[in-house]
Amino acid sequence: MKKVLLSALFIIGACSMVFSQGIPDSQGSKYCSMKKSSMKILPDLKDNLTNGPTHTFDVLDYKLDLDIYHCYASPYPHDFIATNIITFKVDTALSFIKLNAVNSSLLIDSVRMSGISFTHTGNILTIQLNRTYLPGEITKVKVCYHHKNVDDNGFYALGGMVFTDAEPEGARAWFPCWDKPSDKATLDLTAKVPVDVKLGSNGRLADSTVNGDTIRYHWISANNIATYLMTMSSKVNYNLNIVYWHKLSNPNDSIPIRFYFNGGENTSYIQSIIGQMTTYFSQNFCEHPFEKNGFAALNSDFSWGGMENQTLTSICPNCWEESLIAHEFAHQWFGDMITCATWADIWLNEGFATWSECFWREYSGGYPSYKSAINSAAYNYFAGNPGWAISNPDWAVNTPPANVLFDYSITYEKGACALHQLRYILGDSMFFQCLQAYTADTNLKYKSATIAEFNAKINEVTGSNYDWYFNAWIFQPNNPYYQNTYNFQDLGAGQWRVNFLTKQLQTNAPFFPMMLEFRVTFSDFSDTTFRAMNDVDNQYFGWTFDKMPVSFQFDPFAEIVLKQASTTVGIEEFEAGQGKLFVSQNIPNPASHTTRIVYSTTDSGNVRLEIRDVNGKLISVPVNAYKSSGKYFVDIDCSGFSSGIYFYKMISGNSVITKKMVITK
């Protein structure tokens, strides 16, 4: 049914999980992207009519009856006869409806029921109704049509296999429909095929009736489906295995998970883990939302990756890989149960499925395995970043080219990293509460959602406003480049202050607000980790401790994966606030033989420079003399110093400045 639309300095970890059948270091997201970004049907979609998510009626159900019997024998023709009964509810008073129907693929024979005449031009089927219908009325039209004997990249027939493949807007090539993801409907599909053919589709198998050398499969989906997720997959002598998953809410009830596969393929490993995967996703999202699920391996016409058709995922031949299955299966929650309302909301599909693929690794390998996969995604983003945002509002109206919409670096990898960073910001407990609330929301479940609605759900569950994160990290291109500086300041009486200044240097994007994390290690070998919100550029932070700090780390666990960063000792901007004394960072640092410190004072008085080791032991006093106002320097002979960390403290009156110096031999 239609829904009214309201780091590069980061730790890079390679994925090392060994998959069941041997694509080394493979990622299901990569295969998904390669498949979808090469779709050829998009150039035919510019009909200049159906752009945008809203229209004057709401499709409730498609009832398809297709005779594809002769498509399974050589020369494997693509033509078939079909009918489509479209039930719809009127939103705005109307006397006609318009549907997507590709002229080069579909020949419309007649319209019946409430339709009395039609025109079919410019890939648009306009049906004149028998009267003017008022808002809230429900009626039906029956379209009788032929699919022409053409290869249209929507309906496929080759070598005894017949299947459909429709994302993003290819359903219009094999049946007339309103072909936008916001208008979801139930599906009733009947297909006439030879008796030796197995055919799967969305929903449950209502019945299969044999009559001589034919069989009619009747599939019914009681749950709403976006048109691009409506499918059928079939083949002569298709292999079929079925496993059952017992529901968490009622272990006495189970759902079938069907595996259609070609001869010579081995589905045993995936069959053995699909129950665990279903349970894991059900526990962390919501319980598996459909009455059945399944996978179908196709042929060379579907040479890459997978397609998450609702309850019957298509995969390339012999592609029973754990990463690909995890990615496509996660789509059953993110993309199928809740579908992106427009293509501007594709993050809710592909970003979430790619993140879930990484999350599945956490099931057996713990957080380090998950984080390794996220780090790999970040690496892939930086390696291929084309420079646009995860979401472009224009895509809600104008469907972009496939290689833009399904760009691997942005839609998949950056999308997954953006969701990971949200997990980091919220913390695990709150993050998964948000996912569970999102997937359980009856206003979204089996319907469609916008990024704004997911954002609103986060705000609702947390009781805080996270618009700042979505506005910057989802709708802005590129990423921050942090240039951070810090120093340690001895306040006396056993008190020490850590000063920190963060700047963003990127010129290809505005400022990115972010919750920052830090770790300080002290001379007694203890440490502490804490956070601070960075909500403006060039922002200063200071923290006071009752013991001497010896090291400082920015983003110590590299959770802000969509960043580049440098963090160095020395914050001259803060030193102006230390009375009348100014001290530079020693150069070079690290030093081996000699290093220079530049300092200045605006008042005359005694200036003392002390050098101490990490334990606070005084090593030398290079300066201890009366100085008139002015600028000075001192060269430190490091030849007698052992390798390690030292601190130099300059004192002038009430001004005290401490910096770290590293000596290497």
Side-chain angles (χ1 to χ4, degrees), residues 514-526:
M514 178 50 92
M515 181 66 69
L516 305 182
E517 192 165 58
F518 313 94
R519 180 165 61 188
V520 176
T521 303
F522 301 97
S523 57
D524 63 0
F525 304 106
S526 64

Side-chain angles (χ1 to χ4, degrees), residues 95-97 111 114-119 126-131:
S95 59
F96 63 88
I97 63 169
V111 296
S114 61
I116 57 174
S117 64
F118 70 92
T119 59
T126 303
I127 300 175
Q128 189 67 40
L129 302 177
N130 56 2
R131 63 176 175 87

Side-chain angles (χ1 to χ4, degrees), residues 4-67:
V4 178
L5 292 181
L6 305 170
S7 329
L9 295 178
F10 52 77
I11 298 173
I12 297 172
C15 305
S16 58
M17 191 171 186
V18 178
F19 298 111
S20 56
Q21 297 185 39
I23 299 176
D25 197 23
S26 67
Q27 290 181 296
S29 55
K30 179 67 173 178
Y31 281 85
C32 182
S33 171
M34 293 175 72
K35 183 268 172 190
K36 293 180 180 180
S37 62
S38 64
M39 286 291 287
K40 301 174 183 177
I41 197 167
L42 268 173
D44 297 327
L45 300 180
K46 301 298 183 183
D47 51 46
N48 298 316
L49 174 71
T50 58
N51 290 343
T54 59
H55 56 114
T56 57
F57 59 94
D58 178 3
V59 178
L60 303 178
D61 181 71
Y62 294 100
K63 185 172 184 178
L64 292 169
D65 194 334
L66 307 98
D67 183 353

Side-chain angles (χ1 to χ4, degrees), residues 15 21-22 62 77 101 144 229 269 302 429 476 512 558 588 619 653:
C15 305
Q21 297 185 39
Y62 294 100
C144 303
L229 296 169
Y269 177 71
F302 192 99
S429 176
Q476 288 182 178
F512 289 83
I619 303 300

Side-chain angles (χ1 to χ4, degrees), residues 462-517:
T462 61
S464 300
N465 190 322
Y466 287 94
D467 295 1
W468 59 267
Y469 182 76
F470 288 81
N471 292 338
W473 294 87
I474 305 301
F475 294 104
Q476 288 182 178
N478 300 306
N479 54 271
Y481 192 138
Y482 294 97
Q483 183 183 66
N484 304 319
T485 51
Y486 74 94
N487 67 15
F488 301 142
Q489 178 185 353
D490 186 351
L491 302 178
Q495 297 291 299
W496 291 79
R497 185 170 181 81
V498 176
N499 297 303
F500 175 77
L501 181 71
T502 181
K503 300 179 182 179
Q504 292 186 18
L505 302 183
Q506 69 276 1
T507 59
N508 56 7
F511 174 74
F512 289 83
M514 178 50 92
M515 181 66 69
L516 305 182
E517 192 165 58

Side-chain angles (χ1 to χ4, degrees), residues 36 167 229 306-310 313 328 331-332 336 350:
K36 293 180 180 180
E167 192 178 21
L229 296 169
M307 177 59 218
E308 67 275 12
N309 304 304
Q310 189 163 307
T313 294
E328 303 301 343
H331 270 306
Q332 300 301 311
D336 293 8
E350 298 300 349

Side-chain angles (χ1 to χ4, degrees), residues 219-250:
W219 289 90
I220 298 176
S221 177
N223 299 121
N224 296 320
I225 315 175
T227 50
Y228 77 90
L229 296 169
M230 295 178 179
T231 193
M232 56 182 177
S233 298
S234 59
K235 185 183 180 181
V236 175
N237 297 323
Y238 226 171
N239 293 301
L240 172 62
N241 289 341
I242 304 175
V243 299
Y244 291 87
W245 177 76
H246 292 271
K247 295 181 179 180
L248 303 182
S249 58
N250 181 9

